[in-house]
Amino acid sequence: MNTPPSPHEPLLIGALAPLTRPGWTEAGRHLVAGLGLAVDEVNDAGGIGGRPLDLLVRDTAADPGRATAAVDELAALGVAALVGEYHSVVARAAAARAEAVGLPFLCSSAVLDALTDGPADRVARLAPPQSRGWRVYADFLAGAGHRHVAVATQPSVYWASGVRILRERLAEHGGSVTELDLRELTPAAVCDALAGLGATALLLLAGHPDPAVPVVRAVRGDARLTGMLLGAPAGQPEFTEWVSLLGADGAGIPFLRYLPERPGPLAERVGKALRERLAEAPSFVAFEGYDAVLVLADALRSPGVSWPDATADGTRGPVRFARTPGIGVWQSTGMPVQVADRDPADHDRFRVLHTDAEA
């Protein structure tokens, strides 16, 4: 016979994040900071039915196999739900396993549309899907006059999906995309290829810091490519490590971020608290972690987890979930999408270059 939990027994929540290489560790650190802040605030307010939340963090290190094993471990420990993950390919593995074992999973940051192979009842996603964000990015490029775009790519379902979205959207604007394979080309060879292409922009669809950082240095240092726009739709320049490695070369590189242009009172308060935890400005990933716990807490207050009934007023606006055509998981709606860069005149300041007109 099962013994009901004590009214004060912690409610366990499993958290997945990349905290060691080759994972994007700075994103993982910001994600965990946001999750942890929200857990502390939920507990300060009395927890869930009097039960405090206890966050069990597991490092995925950008490894789908580690993520799958972590899901199994956390399920065996009796977690009520899973939350987190930044890397899309890793989140896809975690989502498949969570659905298979019947464990609710709220993915906070991964954007790959095909997070699951088919409809999933247990999995929800907070971040906007890649098809929306990267179309916004393509519209920004076209609006800035960039019709012939080159992309420096590595093999990945995520990067391949991004190339397809960019190619299709730019074609609607009369543009084209040329791929440069970073398995075959050194940074210097990338520059040689660009010099003969006639492209006006190069997008970095590659891992951080390698090989993205060496490619930026090579392009910035090549006199033949003066005036070439560098872009990073996956968001590399959002993090301080980017500018610490590249300095002035890392500024003026547009990227996608999921923040409102003007933060409200909640975002201002949470941003201040996150800055204290991180000892630096919080990224959009930290806010995603915070909002994910808010909506998860709402879901856990009812018997069973029903994503379409879960709501929260988050730092970026109201969080609601719905079924979106072509996406198998419960998808949040209305999240802001913007294209921003670091100001060349002040590397610590971000400039908003473009926003999603549909948001």
Side-chain angles (χ1 to χ4, degrees):
M1 178 171 138
N2 292 329
T3 303
S6 162
H8 303 294
E9 183 178 338
L11 192 62
L12 303 180
I13 304 298
L16 305 176
L19 299 175
T20 56
R21 299 290 189 194
W24 201 332
T25 59
E26 194 170 5
R29 187 168 62 87
H30 281 231
L31 176 57
V32 170
L35 296 170
L37 175 62
V39 164
D40 288 348
E41 292 186 0
V42 169
N43 289 342
D44 289 345
I48 306 297
R51 298 177 65 186
L53 297 180
D54 190 359
L55 196 66
L56 306 182
V57 179
R58 295 296 181 268
D59 174 22
T60 61
D63 183 339
R66 283 186 65 162
T68 300
V71 172
D72 288 339
E73 178 201 356
L74 292 165
L77 290 173
V79 300
L82 298 171
V83 69
E85 194 46 53
Y86 177 81
H87 294 288
S88 284
V89 176
V90 179
R92 179 172 165 79
R97 190 58 183 163
E99 184 72 12
V101 302
L103 191 60
F105 173 37
L106 176 53
C107 179
S108 61
S109 301
V111 299
L112 187 69
D113 282 41
L115 201 58
T116 55
D117 287 331
D121 291 327
R122 294 284 184 168
V123 182
R125 193 235 311 277
L126 190 65
Q130 187 181 22
S131 56
R132 178 180 165 217
W134 287 49
R135 283 200 301 266
V136 171
Y137 196 91
D139 290 343
F140 157 73
L141 291 173
H146 299 285
R147 294 294 190 273
H148 185 187
V149 174
V151 294
T153 65
Q154 290 179 293
S156 164
V157 172
Y158 172 66
W159 299 127
S161 174
V163 171
R164 176 182 55 78
I165 295 164
L166 291 167
R167 178 173 283 119
E168 291 175 355
R169 190 65 163 189
L170 283 170
E172 296 176 16
H173 295 285
S176 63
V177 173
T178 300
E179 292 186 60
L180 303 176
D181 191 338
L182 291 176
R183 292 173 301 178
E184 301 174 355
L185 299 174
T186 64
V190 168
C191 292
D192 290 340
L194 286 171
L197 273 179
T200 60
L202 173 69
L203 307 187
L204 304 160
L205 309 191
H208 170 76
D210 292 318
V213 167
V215 171
V216 172
R217 289 187 180 129
V219 172
R220 292 294 202 206
D222 194 318
R224 297 172 298 174
L225 304 177
T226 300
M228 171 76 65
L229 175 74
L230 286 172
Q236 296 95 319
E238 170 83 6
F239 298 98
T240 56
E241 184 184 26
W242 178 264
V243 75
S244 69
L245 290 172
L246 285 166
D249 285 345
I253 299 179
F255 63 94
L256 282 168
R257 67 200 316 227
Y258 308 113
L259 290 174
E261 191 168 357
R262 295 178 179 82
L266 176 62
E268 292 279 9
R269 178 183 68 76
V270 170
K272 181 178 179 181
L274 287 170
R275 181 183 285 272
E276 291 176 356
R277 288 193 174 217
L278 292 163
E280 63 185 19
S283 69
F284 68 86
V285 179
F287 288 98
E288 286 174 332
Y290 181 91
D291 288 350
V293 168
L294 289 193
V295 72
L296 179 59
D298 183 78
L300 291 171
R301 290 189 176 100
S302 301
V305 171
S306 172
W307 295 121
D309 296 326
T311 62
D313 290 326
T315 57
R316 283 93 42 78
V319 180
R320 304 288 186 274
F321 295 103
R323 289 296 191 188
T324 300
I327 295 175
V329 303
W330 289 99
Q331 177 65 53
S332 68
T333 58
M335 286 291 108
V337 176
Q338 60 181 224
V339 179
D341 72 357
R342 287 184 177 270
D343 188 343
D346 180 358
H347 303 163
D348 292 328
R349 191 177 83 86
F350 293 103
R351 305 181 300 183
V352 176
L353 308 175
H354 183 77
T355 57
D356 183 4
E358 298 178 2

